[in-house]
């Protein structure tokens, strides 16, 4: 009956659940939102995507009387699926800004990943999981990878053993999913885990359907290295939004007309990359620094359409800063980011504004909490905030020639210089700033960035490989994941960056747009080299 295709969604408004809504609709269900505790008690099937931090989530649940209804619903063994924080909240308590009491349905405490074990926190990316007991909704996963993004986790132990249906390893063994009767919860994001994730949702939404059951033998894997497709987007001279691609950030054709290089339509290309196996797709609104993104509704449209059919993480950057429009209306950077999230972004990426914030922080040594970076990461969590660094290499004869940390370069500079520092830029590389990539990376990590997108203007579009010196320099300096970007020209360049540096992901644009090297062959090459990847 049509009633069976309605799923009740508990969205307490703390963040972005658009991706999950899109996935549910994609699978043919409609959504009823929980407004009151009765809506929970009347639900046929309840989805609980936890977003934000543990303490504020519990506060909302308690204040609205939802916590009690949730406990009753689960105690009655009715169909339930918690996701991410929606799993963690079922436990007794969490150490996140706490201890804070949880719903107390599962024995155990949720704690932070131990970064001293050599793992970068947040845990972002794809792992295969180890099935511990028949869990039905996980039946189609097998050895496929699923997408995690979190800094806290619950640990399996004797007290919660009866609940644990799968585990994963990151530093320690942690709980990847729980199951008791009709009650399920997963730490990973099925709505962002490609086809494997959609299979989990499908099995939850349509439990009685006759789907073939695949025997599950999967073992927990190492965190996979991610391959990311990046789309630099801007309006062309006719006003259409196009995917463009620069040569050292110059996106105009080298001819008389000098028009903006046009490599295709943003939504079509993004969907293609998803189908081709991209682990993530990034959109950079490259003229966002001068055109206000909320005036740039086409960009928001692009995100809305793309997120309806793409079930891996989407990042969007460009123009995230405070802004006053010509009518004197003020928009905070948080509003800009919120609009991006509402339109389907899972993460936002901040470029120029993070440089200013880091400069200020290094000068004053005070975290004001007012920068866009700090505000967005406080509200949406640091895993949702990427800082994009756009550095340019500056060769040095003597490292003492500058106050910024430099590296010894593998290839000497044009005048035999053996050192270089990497000067940060703003406004799409147009303006150099008095801060190095190393100093910036350290500062933004402290200010709440969850990940670094490390470009290199010198290498951009050159196809000669990533700047290994730079990637190694920055990936060793911080404890958050670093995405290597700029310069990929072959599948070998990906294995090189993963074997020589601690980068967590590698991003490319030109080779994918020009169809020179398909994503799939990059993955196959990495697999052949023994690198853990999601196939
Ligand atoms: O400063 O917060 O408005 O953010 C602007 C964003 O736009 C930044 O992330 C900045 O990197 C990006 N951006 C600005 N101008 C350009 C340009 O190209 N003129 N794109 C630009 C930078 C960088 C890459 C590129 C890789 C891989 N694009 O992400 O995709 O270099 O390319 P390749 O594989 O072809 O070598 P704000």
């Amino acid at each position: 009956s049509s009633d069976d295709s309605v799923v009740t969604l508990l969205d307490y408004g703390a963040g972005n659940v658009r991706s999950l809504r899109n996935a549910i609709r994609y699978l043919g269900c409609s959504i009823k939102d929980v407004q009151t505790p009765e809506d929970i008690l009347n639900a046929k099937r309840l989805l609980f995507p936890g977003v934000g931090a543990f303490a504020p989530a519990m506060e909302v649940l308690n204040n609205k009387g939802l916590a009690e209804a949730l406990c009753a619903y689960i105690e009655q063994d009715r169909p339930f699926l918690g996701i991410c924080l929606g799993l963690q909240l079922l436990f007794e308590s969490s150490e996140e800004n706490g201890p804070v009491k949880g719903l107390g349905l599962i024995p155990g405490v949720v704690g932070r990943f131990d970064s001293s074990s050599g793992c970068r926190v947040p845990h972002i990316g794809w792992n295969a999981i180890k099935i511990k007991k028949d869990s039905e909704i996980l039946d189609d996963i097998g050895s496929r990878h699923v997408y995690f993004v979190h800094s806290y986790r619950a640990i399996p132990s004797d007290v919660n053993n009866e609940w644990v249906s799968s585990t994963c390893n990151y530093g320690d063994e942690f709980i990847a999913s729980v199951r008791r009767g009709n009650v399920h919860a997963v730490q990973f994001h099925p709505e962002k885990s490609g086809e494997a994730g959609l299979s989990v949702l499908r099995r939850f939404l349509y439990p009685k359907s006759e789907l073939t059951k695949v025997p599950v033998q999967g073992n927990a894997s190492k965190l996979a290295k991610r391959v990311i497709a990046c789309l630099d987007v801007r309006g062309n001279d006719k006003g259409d939004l196009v995917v463009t691609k620069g040569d050292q950030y110059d996106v105009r054709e080298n001819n008389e007309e000098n028009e903006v290089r046009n490599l295709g339509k943003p939504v079509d290309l993004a969907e293609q990359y998803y189908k081709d196996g991209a682990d993530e797709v990034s959109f950079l609104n490259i003229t966002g620094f001068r055109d206000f993104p909320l005036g740039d509704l086409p960009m928001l449209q692009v995100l809305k359409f793309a997120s309806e059919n793409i079930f891996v993480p989407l990042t969007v950057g460009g123009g995230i800063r405070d802004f006053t429009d010509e009518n004197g209306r003020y928009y905070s950077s948080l509003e800009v980011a919120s609009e991006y999230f509402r339109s389907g972004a899972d993460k936002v990426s901040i470029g120029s504004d993070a440089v200013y914030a880091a400069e200020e922080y290094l000068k004053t040594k005070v975290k004001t909490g007012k920068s866009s970076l700090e505000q967005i990461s406080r509200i949406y969590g640091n895993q949702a905030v990427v800082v994009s660094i756009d550095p340019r290499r500056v060769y040095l004869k003597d490292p003492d020639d500058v106050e910024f940390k430099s590296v010894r370069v593998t290839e000497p500079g044009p005048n035999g210089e053996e050192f270089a520092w990497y000067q940060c830029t703003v406004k799409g590389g147009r303006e150099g700033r008095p801060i190095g990539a190393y100093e910036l990376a350290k500062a933004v990590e402290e200010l709440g960035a969850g990940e670094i997108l490390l470009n290199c203007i010198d290498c951009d579009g050159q196809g000669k490989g990533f700047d290994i010196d730079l990637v190694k320099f920055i990936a060793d300096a911080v404890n958050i994941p670093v995405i290597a970007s700029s310069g990929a020209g072959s599948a070998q360049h990906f294995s090189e960056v993963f074997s020589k540096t601690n980068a967590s992901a590698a991003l490319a644009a030109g080779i994918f747009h020009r169809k020179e090297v398909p994503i799939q062959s990059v993955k196959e090459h990495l697999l052949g080299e023994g690198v853990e990847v999601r196939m």
Side-chain angles (χ1 to χ4, degrees):
S1 74
S2 65
D3 217 12
D4 281 345
S5 68
V6 179
V7 57
T8 303
L9 183 75
L10 173 48
D11 171 6
Y12 48 88
N16 171 31
V17 300
R18 187 181 175 95
S19 306
L20 183 62
R21 290 179 188 276
N22 284 334
I24 296 167
R25 290 200 195 99
Y26 179 86
L27 294 170
C29 285
S30 55
I31 297 163
K32 180 176 174 10
D33 276 288
V34 169
Q35 312 285 352
T36 65
E38 287 67 45
D39 294 332
I40 292 180
L41 298 171
N42 293 331
K44 287 225 159 63
R45 200 160 286 290
L46 182 65
L47 261 173
F48 182 34
V51 280
F54 196 99
M58 272 315 295
E59 206 175 297
V60 175
L61 295 181
N62 284 325
N63 290 348
K64 294 192 175 167
L66 301 172
E68 208 179 317
L70 258 178
C71 288
Y73 182 90
I74 291 172
E75 290 298 355
Q76 291 161 17
D77 191 31
R78 290 161 63 192
F80 174 87
L81 176 60
I83 297 174
C84 194
L85 186 67
L87 173 143
Q88 298 178 7
L89 290 163
L90 304 180
F91 284 79
E92 285 170 305
S93 67
S94 171
E95 289 168 1
E96 186 175 1
N97 302 321
V100 181
K101 258 181 88 157
L103 294 169
L105 296 158
I106 306 179
V109 176
V110 178
R112 195 168 200 276
F113 280 113
D114 179 7
S115 55
S116 67
S117 67
C119 291
R120 288 165 199 269
V121 183
H123 171 220
I124 298 182
W126 301 79
N127 289 74
I129 57 177
K130 184 172 180 58
I131 307 291
K132 295 279 190 179
K133 70 170 183 200
D134 186 13
S135 38
E136 289 179 37
I137 62 165
L138 306 180
D139 279 355
D140 302 316
I141 287 198
S143 56
R144 289 189 285 176
H145 293 73
V146 290
Y147 184 76
F148 290 90
V149 44
H150 56 136
S151 299
Y152 291 80
R153 85 286 182 254
I155 300 280
S157 74
D158 289 347
V159 291
N160 54 38
N161 214 6
E162 59 151 334
W163 280 91
V164 179
S165 54
S166 72
T167 63
C168 188
N169 291 322
Y170 195 65
D172 308 309
E173 186 182 26
F174 69 89
I175 296 176
S177 66
V178 294
R179 187 257 171 116
R180 195 178 71 186
N182 293 312
V183 176
H184 301 268
V186 291
Q187 178 60 66
F188 55 88
H189 286 267
E191 76 282 15
K192 290 280 112 186
S193 296
E195 272 304 319
L198 292 176
S199 80
V200 175
L201 291 174
R202 201 178 283 120
R203 281 198 173 268
F204 175 71
L205 297 170
Y206 303 104
K208 287 186 212 87
S209 61
E210 298 293 322
L211 297 162
T212 35
K213 184 162 170 164
V214 179
V216 185
Q217 302 291 343
N219 266 324
S221 75
K222 285 196 294 193
L223 179 61
K225 298 291 185 183
R226 285 171 280 156
V227 175
I228 302 176
C230 180
L231 294 87
D232 288 354
V233 177
R234 60 162 287 172
N236 65 9
D237 302 319
K238 295 192 211 89
D240 305 321
L241 214 54
V242 298
V243 174
T244 190
K245 183 64 212 78
D247 237 335
Q248 300 187 327
Y249 284 35
D250 179 0
V251 299
R252 289 187 178 271
E253 298 282 9
N254 226 337
N255 58 16
E256 292 238 315
E257 286 79 36
N258 212 232
E259 69 270 5
V260 171
R261 212 171 278 130
N262 179 351
L263 290 158
K265 292 190 180 144
V267 179
D268 295 354
L269 267 185
E271 290 186 0
Q272 188 59 49
Y273 294 148
Y274 167 63
K275 289 187 196 128
D276 292 347
D279 296 317
E280 249 174 83
V281 178
S282 297
F283 293 99
L284 297 175
N285 183 359
I286 67 169
T287 49
F289 71 90
R290 59 166 181 256
D291 310 323
F292 182 53
L294 296 193
D296 197 354
L297 293 172
M299 187 66 200
L300 300 176
Q301 287 299 103
V302 163
L303 266 179
K304 282 184 182 146
F305 288 123
S307 62
E308 281 172 14
N309 296 306
I310 297 179
F311 301 104
V312 293
L314 290 177
T315 300
V316 62
I320 297 177
R321 65 200 154 95
D322 297 341
F323 185 84
T324 304
D325 71 11
E326 66 256 25
N327 306 319
R329 159 85 155 90
Y330 168 81
Y331 298 85
S332 71
S333 56
L334 186 60
E335 281 175 81
V336 181
S338 300
E339 200 52 42
Y340 275 153
F341 286 126
R342 267 197 292 277
S343 303
D346 300 291
K347 315 184 210 182
V348 296
S349 158
I350 310 176
S352 307
D353 209 50
V355 178
Y356 303 128
E359 285 179 24
E360 186 65 21
Y361 174 55
L362 291 176
K363 201 161 71 200
T364 61
K365 308 263 184 298
V366 180
K367 290 185 198 171
T368 60
K370 294 201 174 113
S371 66
S372 53
L373 170 55
E374 291 163 283
Q375 289 192 44
I376 300 165
S377 92
R378 190 170 54 242
I379 302 287
Y380 289 94
N382 64 348
Q383 81 293 334
V385 187
V386 183
V387 166
S388 165
I389 310 186
D390 299 293
R392 187 175 269 126
R393 197 186 306 130
V394 184
Y395 287 107
L396 295 168
K397 282 220 152 21
D398 182 345
D400 293 332
D401 288 351
V402 285
E403 58 185 295
F404 311 105
K405 196 168 159 74
S406 57
V407 281
R408 183 182 282 278
V409 286
T410 318
E411 294 276 332
N415 302 308
E417 298 94 335
E418 289 183 3
F419 297 89
W421 73 291
Y422 288 87
Q423 183 180 22
C424 292
T425 66
V426 293
K427 303 179 181 162
R430 287 169 183 76
E431 184 189 329
R433 297 295 305 179
I435 183 169
Y438 177 90
E439 290 75 20
L440 182 79
K442 303 276 274 184
V444 298
E445 178 177 30
E446 285 182 41
L447 291 173
E451 196 168 32
I452 286 172
L453 164 52
L454 183 59
N455 301 293
C456 176
I457 298 180
D458 308 81
C459 298
D460 174 56
Q462 305 307 296
K464 294 188 188 135
F466 298 96
D467 187 326
I468 301 294
D469 295 331
L470 170 66
V471 178
K472 195 166 161 17
F473 185 36
I474 303 305
D476 290 343
V478 295
N479 200 46
I480 51 180
V482 171
I483 303 166
S485 164
S486 304
S490 68
Q492 285 72 20
H493 291 149
F494 288 82
S495 49
E496 182 189 24
V497 79
F498 291 135
S499 65
K500 294 187 177 165
T501 79
N502 289 317
S504 300
L507 170 152
I511 53 167
F512 298 149
H513 302 338
R514 294 186 302 267
K515 305 192 170 48
E516 288 165 8
V517 185
I519 294 172
Q520 197 59 29
S521 58
V522 171
K523 295 275 192 85
E524 278 160 14
H525 169 74
L526 289 171
L527 194 66
E529 296 290 307
V531 179
E532 181 78 33
V533 282
R534 174 183 79 110
M535 291 311 288

